[in-house]
Amino acid sequence: MASDGSVKVKIPTVFRRFTGNEAEIDLAPGTIGQLIDQLDERYPGFKGQIMNDEGELHRFVNVYVNDEDARYLEKLETQANEGDRVALLPSVAGG
Amino acid sequence: MKYKSILDLIGHTPLVEVRSLSPADNVRMWVKLEGQNPTGSVKDRIALALIEDGEATGALTKDKTILEPTSGNTGIAIAMVAKLKGYRFTAVMPDNASHERVSLLHAYGADIIYSPGAEGTNGSVAMATELAKDKGYYMPFQYGNEANVRAHYEGTGPEILEDLPDVKAFVAGLGTGGTLTGVGRRLKEHDPNIKVFAAEPELGELVYGLRSLEDGYIPPIFDPTVLDGKVKVKARESIVWTKALMQKEGIFAGISAGATIWVAQRVAERLAKDGGGDVVCLLPDGGWKYLSTEAWTQELDVAEEQVEDVLWW
């Protein structure tokens, strides 16, 4: 658990050109929606890259809180608390 | 026991309790050993279903070559079924698939067209879709063909219910979505309270690195409404639990098995607080095709590196 009060957000390679190549960003705790707003404030335009015009996550973007896909939790309302790990990843297939 | 054909051995796989891997006394964990199918993976079920569906609809005829994008197991299974039924088969596969997969495909007489490994299975799907415009090919397309889902709805799901009518949760890996969608639907029709969880690989940076968001892919047959949760698992955690399966229970399963075990334990911990019960975890293949990664014999750090270099999902 982090002790600095932050939530660690992992950024995949495909989005790092929007974050000045930062791979992990510390943000204040909040809902996934609030975390994305914080990212957009810090890196203007970031939100438009991972969300559609309806304000939903792009269908090929998955957001995980402690490894669990937020789509199956409370979606953008899913809470990330101090010490939680958040990751953004593109969707992949297998088989 | 006598059989007329190896095809008659597909399905009806054993369900084995893995007592030492359960995190709670009131939860019994079971693994369904799909590695017991003829070519060693769950994909025998769908290979037979896909080809027989093509025959039934008339889309697959003897003058055509079967073409399919695959990370390996589906290709090997189709190669076997195609060989017995007299069809030519070409697999489109990422060039970082393990050596064993390539050798097995060649042994069954399949041709292989390689797609860039850095694009993962998504790259194979894109390449095969382009190639299939040639009318000489028939592409069953496991990612978009309902016969894939049906094989699990009519086969895998009922088998689980026959063995464990009171099953409380089911966990499987998410690849095409066929297993989760087919089994999940069947289980929820039986009892809507049964929980269905997906294990998803967190692949190496290389696989994600070269991809733009537009290259993302969600298989058309995957129905996310059957899922109660989806959990991502790193190669490292998968290796740890794949080794534990062997060392504690004597079960030699493929690397993705460890990922499903890891997720099943999370599910089991929740179930334990909710009255307990049976959890079924589907292990898609045996360990043979991953021996060259030395996942079982190397130090964890080395094994992790080896596994991340090959396609383990």
Side-chain angles (χ1 to χ4, degrees), chain B:
Chain B
M1 233 179 278
K2 287 182 187 155
Y3 297 91
K4 282 194 170 162
S5 159
I6 191 79
L7 298 180
D8 296 335
L9 271 77
I10 295 174
H12 300 285
T13 49
L15 195 62
V16 181
E17 185 169 6
V18 287
R19 189 171 282 269
S20 71
L21 301 181
S22 173
D25 290 340
N26 64 346
V27 175
R28 298 181 77 177
M29 280 191 27
W30 303 81
V31 291
K32 193 158 173 67
L33 299 181
E34 293 299 314
Q36 301 291 98
N37 281 298
T39 75
S41 90
V42 64
K43 298 298 189 177
D44 285 352
R45 294 175 183 270
I46 73 161
L48 185 62
L50 289 168
I51 289 177
E52 290 190 339
D53 179 72
E55 289 175 331
T57 61
L60 173 59
T61 45
K62 295 282 175 186
D63 56 319
K64 293 200 172 170
T65 296
I66 300 171
L67 178 83
E68 182 70 13
T70 171
S71 56
N73 278 338
T74 303
I76 293 160
I78 290 180
M80 183 270 287
V81 178
K83 173 66 82 188
L84 289 183
K85 286 178 170 278
Y87 298 102
R88 286 185 306 276
F89 172 54
T90 299
V92 181
M93 192 165 71
D95 58 19
N96 57 345
S98 72
H99 303 305
E100 292 92 335
R101 295 184 183 207
V102 172
S103 299
L104 265 168
L105 278 167
H106 283 148
Y108 276 117
D111 291 320
I112 304 173
I113 296 173
Y114 292 103
S115 59
E119 293 174 16
T121 311
N122 291 7
S124 302
V125 169
M127 186 182 271
T129 304
E130 194 55 36
L131 288 167
K133 289 177 181 163
D134 179 336
K135 296 293 171 224
Y137 284 126
Y138 171 70
M139 181 165 72
F141 203 54
Q142 57 173 335
Y143 302 94
N145 193 325
E146 283 297 323
N148 175 352
V149 175
R150 215 154 49 231
H152 294 292
Y153 181 82
E154 292 172 359
T156 324
E159 288 170 30
I160 291 168
L161 290 173
E162 199 173 304
D163 290 336
L164 289 174
D166 292 325
V167 59
K168 292 282 188 274
F170 174 72
V171 182
L174 177 59
T176 66
T179 306
L180 285 158
T181 302
V183 175
R185 271 184 197 154
R186 177 54 72 116
L187 295 185
K188 293 204 167 194
E189 277 173 19
H190 174 76
D191 176 0
N193 295 318
I194 296 176
K195 301 288 181 221
V196 178
F197 277 80
E200 185 181 37
E202 181 171 348
L203 302 173
E205 279 289 317
L206 182 72
V207 181
Y208 289 119
L210 296 177
R211 187 176 298 132
S212 78
L213 198 53
E214 286 65 40
D215 294 331
Y217 188 70
I218 298 169
I221 58 162
F222 171 53
D223 176 6
T225 64
V226 303
L227 290 193
D228 294 286
K230 176 150 80 67
V231 182
K232 73 174 170 64
V233 189
K234 290 190 171 73
R236 190 180 184 90
E237 285 145 357
S238 298
I239 294 165
V240 165
W241 290 102
T242 303
K243 285 173 98 163
L245 265 172
M246 170 172 265
Q247 287 159 4
K248 294 184 173 177
E249 297 287 346
I251 293 169
F252 181 45
I255 308 289
S256 73
T260 62
I261 292 287
W262 192 79
V263 173
Q265 287 179 325
R266 272 199 187 200
V267 172
E269 281 166 14
R270 287 173 202 176
L271 184 61
K273 293 176 196 147
D274 200 25
D278 295 299
V279 177
V280 171
C281 193
L282 185 134
L283 308 188
D285 58 4
W288 298 103
K289 291 190 286 289
Y290 307 87
L291 267 182
S292 65
T293 65
E294 298 185 60
W296 291 265
T297 44
Q298 289 279 12
E299 294 288 323
L300 191 54
D301 287 336
V302 181
E304 183 181 16
E305 218 166 280
Q306 303 271 74
V307 167
E308 284 197 332
D309 282 347
V310 303
L311 207 64
W312 57 280
W313 200 262

